Amino acid sequence: GPLVNTDGEVVGINTFIFSGSGGSIGIGFAVPAARVAAVIEEIREYGHYRQASLGVELANLTPAIMERYSISGSLDGVIVARVLQGSSVYEAGLRPLDVLRELAGQPTVNLDAVQRLVYNTSVGDRLEFVAERNGETFTGEIVVKELE
């Protein structure tokens, strides 16, 4: 059912409750109303929800990863672990062991930050990036595709 604020406005759709007793008292989870509206619009326009995907596996930078692959600089960033051929990231020129430092004007401080950003993108969005390969910085643009 709906999650409402004190003014009676729908701000989310309740989806799940974590309850030790199995009853209605516990920690509730909801999908934000704006997200629900965006999904409904996708379904109306395309007949299904088109989930945005970069087609890449990323990992947080750690001191061990940086040492193993001779990466210098800050721990802020994510390392490209795997790229799917033909994906948005592949077409943008990113390859395994590249370090993504910025995406859509936002620093990629960790994997969580990147996942939140991608969650809020739509198919067709263009995301500029700053990355490093072998100590050299380069830039590019990722055109977001639909998750297959």
Side-chain angles (χ1 to χ4, degrees):
L3 174 65
V4 297
N5 65 15
T6 56
D7 293 326
E9 300 166 324
V10 175
V11 295
I13 303 297
N14 293 308
T15 57
F16 177 79
I17 187 165
F18 180 77
S19 170
S21 67
S24 62
I25 298 174
I27 300 172
F29 297 88
V31 176
R35 182 67 174 177
V36 172
V39 169
I40 290 170
E41 185 58 34
E42 280 275 324
I43 293 169
R44 283 185 177 146
E45 188 168 342
Y46 299 99
H48 68 283
Y49 173 66
R50 301 178 312 151
Q51 184 174 345
S53 172
L54 300 182
V56 66
E57 288 181 23
L58 303 168
N60 284 318
L61 280 177
T62 64
I65 288 173
M66 291 179 75
E67 183 178 338
R68 174 164 167 94
Y69 297 109
S70 301
I71 299 169
S72 60
S74 167
L75 278 173
D76 288 348
V78 292
I79 189 164
V80 176
R82 192 177 108 178
V83 177
L84 299 176
Q85 185 126 0
S87 68
S88 302
V89 166
Y90 182 85
E91 290 175 359
L94 287 164
R95 298 295 180 263
L97 302 183
D98 288 348
V99 177
L100 192 60
R101 296 289 186 181
E102 191 175 295
L103 185 61
Q106 303 295 316
T108 55
V109 293
N110 58 38
L111 188 54
D112 254 4
V114 174
Q115 288 172 333
R116 276 193 302 275
L117 193 146
V118 173
Y119 177 80
N120 290 310
T121 63
S122 298
V123 173
D125 285 356
R126 297 176 176 276
L127 308 175
E128 293 183 4
F129 68 86
V130 176
E132 295 173 7
R133 179 182 297 147
N134 300 323
E136 299 291 322
T137 300
F138 65 101
T139 62
E141 182 180 76
I142 299 167
V143 179
V144 180
K145 290 185 174 184
E146 182 177 0
L147 177 67
E148 293 189 23

